[in-house]
Amino acid sequence: MVAGIDTPAGYTRLDRVRTGADADVYQAWDERAGRWAMLRLFHRFVAGRAEEAAFATHVAASLGLVGNASIVPVRAGGITATGRPWLALDRAEGRLLSEVLRDGPPPAEALRLVTLLADALAWAHSLRPPMLHGRIRAEHVIVSPAGIPMITDFSAPRPPGAPVPRPSGDVTDLAALLFHALTGNSWPGRGEPDDRAIAAWPGLTGLLDEVLTPVPAIDSMAVFAARLRQVWHAADAADPLPAAPPGEITPAAPAEMHEPEMHRPEGYAGKRHLSMLALVALLPLGYGAVQLFPDKAVVPPLCATTADGDAGSAVLWWPADEGTGTTVCDFSGSGNRATLSTGAGWSSAGAAMRFTAEAAGGHASGLAPAVRTDGSFTVMAWVNLGDTDGTHGVLSQPGTVSSGFILKYERASDSWRLTMPQTDSRSPVVDGATSTTRPRIDTWTHLAASFDTATRKVTIFVDGVAEDSADHPVSWNATGPVQAGRTWYDGAWSERFHGAIDDVRAYRAALPEAGIAEIAASGRDEHPAPADGH
């Protein structure tokens, strides 16, 4: 327990969770936000204005990490009265990756987790200024109940003159973590059995050969992440990976580099016996390979950056017109594209996402949250309901245990419903608005939901008309990636959608009814009402 002048202002009820090499970690109550947080209170004291300014810069950069589902957000930071720097992070529910690996997960799951970590780190490295972790280890990653790996403990404040982290260090650390995840052993491993485990994934032996050397041929996380995805796709893995976040689709170095086959070591047993002289001798060959394969120098983007039409001030816009593949592009400019999971697909006309409630995995998941659910927002979509036999989630944004908002068809009331739990907990108090229009199957309906912090009210709109409002006095921010076709509640995915969802949009403001009505009217030609007009 920390008390008195070492306690950061505004945090109470501190309970130490663990002690690390550079900081103590506490669960603490954030009095200002009214929620639990995790406090990192560093062992080292800052001395002088230069160190204070350096830490302030570090805090400001850390706050920019918000928005990636695989990075635990930093919310605040400062220096205590005694000079101890501290950071406050969201409390993330889950297990440490070190615990997950002790259970011996399937190799595909281990590769999936590390690939998502590479995506997140590549995104962090692309920020300005770049955010480097500095020491990626399994104990610095939390795996959520939904299977999302979340990085925490980005680099601690360092004394003047101390070496600063480099991007290549994160690449090497993550490659070593992948080796451990797949073999159960630390690099360089135990020889032939580990070689076989790595070689089971096409291209992975060569990739790790290029990274885990005294002179790495790959020092860019964007390149490493792109190469891991190539390994995944080459193996024809059953489950698709979520789309990579923006900021890493154009790596600074080639995404694939070939060396003449005669110079490549025979697995890791051969690599461990390479001399430093041999490694240096390979460098010109690697460079020459870059020049010989210029067509492989850039990973093409999955999505364009503009589209016909105008989403105005939308921070997310999925027109869902692709009609093929598993990527749903975001044309708002935010880069928050979605990935269709196994069990989801496209409508017969190809211009809407199609979901089947019986397919347990059917959904579309964004890369990041679309809105802050403790701030004003509006979300909307065109919906074609396939049946009224069960409750069907349309849009949601998950937190740790519950969702910040859920827009759905509710079987019990036979209505469209917007619900917003007051807390991120099991069986929370829920505020909600209920439509007066009775939903109809096989009928395109425009749904919109808003929360206005000025009035503390949630409102549901059907075909551009506000049909009900309810008070929502207590709010919190759900930081999981926005979802279409399912909801996250009481720590589990449920309420799968049956039917089609199209033209999903999100705004970080409570739009007026007239604006929502205009958007609904503009989409009616593409989503015609039934011939009887009802």
Side-chain angles (χ1 to χ4, degrees), residues 25-42:
V25 180
Y26 297 84
Q27 178 176 273
W29 182 253
D30 184 342
E31 298 287 352
R32 298 185 185 92
R35 62 186 176 191
W36 290 104
M38 302 304 293
L39 272 179
R40 293 183 72 203
L41 190 60
F42 293 97

Side-chain angles (χ1 to χ4, degrees), residues 304-394:
T305 55
T306 59
D308 295 335
D310 181 14
S313 59
V315 294
L316 177 126
W317 182 23
W318 297 339
D321 292 334
E322 288 78 7
T324 186
T326 59
T327 299
V328 185
C329 294
D330 175 15
F331 290 106
S332 72
S334 299
N336 195 357
R337 58 181 176 267
T339 298
L340 292 173
S341 69
T342 304
W346 300 96
S347 65
S348 57
M353 296 176 284
R354 170 67 66 177
F355 304 95
T356 303
E358 289 75 17
H363 64 277
S365 178
L367 292 172
V371 297
R372 288 191 63 96
T373 57
D374 58 356
S376 295
F377 69 84
T378 304
V379 294
M380 60 182 67
W382 281 95
V383 179
N384 193 308
L385 190 61
D387 66 53
T388 56
D389 297 336
T391 296
H392 300 307
V394 177

Side-chain angles (χ1 to χ4, degrees), residues 128-175:
R128 294 294 178 268
M131 282 300 293
L132 310 178
H133 192 280
R135 48 176 193 153
I136 291 292
R137 304 289 187 273
E139 58 268 25
H140 300 146
V141 177
I142 299 170
V143 181
S144 76
I148 299 173
M150 299 174 288
I151 307 170
T152 186
D153 298 347
F154 269 73
S155 56
R158 296 170 181 268
V164 297
R166 295 180 177 274
S168 58
D170 279 357
V171 176
T172 300
D173 284 350
L174 194 61

Side-chain angles (χ1 to χ4, degrees), residues 35-396:
R35 62 186 176 191
W36 290 104
M38 302 304 293
L39 272 179
R40 293 183 72 203
L41 190 60
F42 293 97
H43 301 317
R44 194 183 68 80
F45 292 78
V46 297
R49 293 185 179 276
E51 286 193 50
E52 291 181 0
F55 183 66
T57 300
H58 178 75
V59 172
S62 298
L63 295 175
L65 291 170
V66 173
N68 191 297
S70 285
I71 297 178
V72 178
V74 173
R75 299 298 181 184
I79 300 172
T80 68
T82 62
R84 294 180 70 182
W86 59 272
L87 293 172
L89 299 87
D90 280 358
R91 186 176 67 169
E93 297 289 342
R95 302 172 65 202
L96 291 178
L97 179 58
S98 55
E99 298 174 358
V100 174
L101 295 182
R102 279 198 293 269
D103 292 341
E109 176 64 8
L111 180 60
R112 183 189 72 85
L113 291 171
V114 174
T115 302
L116 296 182
L117 293 177
D119 289 341
L121 285 167
W123 176 82
H125 287 190
S126 73
L127 299 177
R128 294 294 178 268
M131 282 300 293
L132 310 178
H133 192 280
R135 48 176 193 153
I136 291 292
R137 304 289 187 273
E139 58 268 25
H140 300 146
V141 177
I142 299 170
V143 181
S144 76
I148 299 173
M150 299 174 288
I151 307 170
T152 186
D153 298 347
F154 269 73
S155 56
R158 296 170 181 268
V164 297
R166 295 180 177 274
S168 58
D170 279 357
V171 176
T172 300
D173 284 350
L174 194 61
L177 176 58
L178 175 59
F179 182 89
H180 172 66
L182 291 175
T183 67
N185 295 295
S186 299
W187 170 262
R190 53 184 176 168
E192 186 176 347
D194 293 340
D195 291 346
R196 288 198 300 268
I198 300 299
W201 295 90
L204 188 55
T205 296
L207 174 58
L208 294 187
D209 280 351
E210 294 179 49
V211 176
L212 294 173
T213 73
V215 186
I218 295 176
D219 59 5
S220 163
M221 189 61 76
V223 174
F224 187 58
R227 290 283 296 277
L228 285 179
R229 286 177 169 270
Q230 291 174 359
V231 169
W232 182 272
H233 294 312
D236 292 325
D239 296 325
L241 287 170
E248 61 187 78
I249 57 176
T250 310
E256 186 170 1
M257 186 166 70
H258 301 269
E259 296 173 356
E261 194 64 33
M262 68 180 73
H263 294 284
R264 181 171 294 146
E266 292 296 327
Y268 290 101
K271 187 169 190 61
R272 281 188 288 269
H273 292 91
L274 279 175
S275 67
M276 178 65 77
L277 180 62
L279 290 171
V280 173
L282 284 175
L283 288 179
L285 293 171
Y287 178 78
V290 175
Q291 307 304 316
L292 290 172
F293 298 93
D295 58 317
K296 298 185 185 243
V298 176
V299 178
L302 293 175
C303 295
T305 55
T306 59
D308 295 335
D310 181 14
S313 59
V315 294
L316 177 126
W317 182 23
W318 297 339
D321 292 334
E322 288 78 7
T324 186
T326 59
T327 299
V328 185
C329 294
D330 175 15
F331 290 106
S332 72
S334 299
N336 195 357
R337 58 181 176 267
T339 298
L340 292 173
S341 69
T342 304
W346 300 96
S347 65
S348 57
M353 296 176 284
R354 170 67 66 177
F355 304 95
T356 303
E358 289 75 17
H363 64 277
S365 178
L367 292 172
V371 297
R372 288 191 63 96
T373 57
D374 58 356
S376 295
F377 69 84
T378 304
V379 294
M380 60 182 67
W382 281 95
V383 179
N384 193 308
L385 190 61
D387 66 53
T388 56
D389 297 336
T391 296
H392 300 307
V394 177
L395 299 175
S396 66

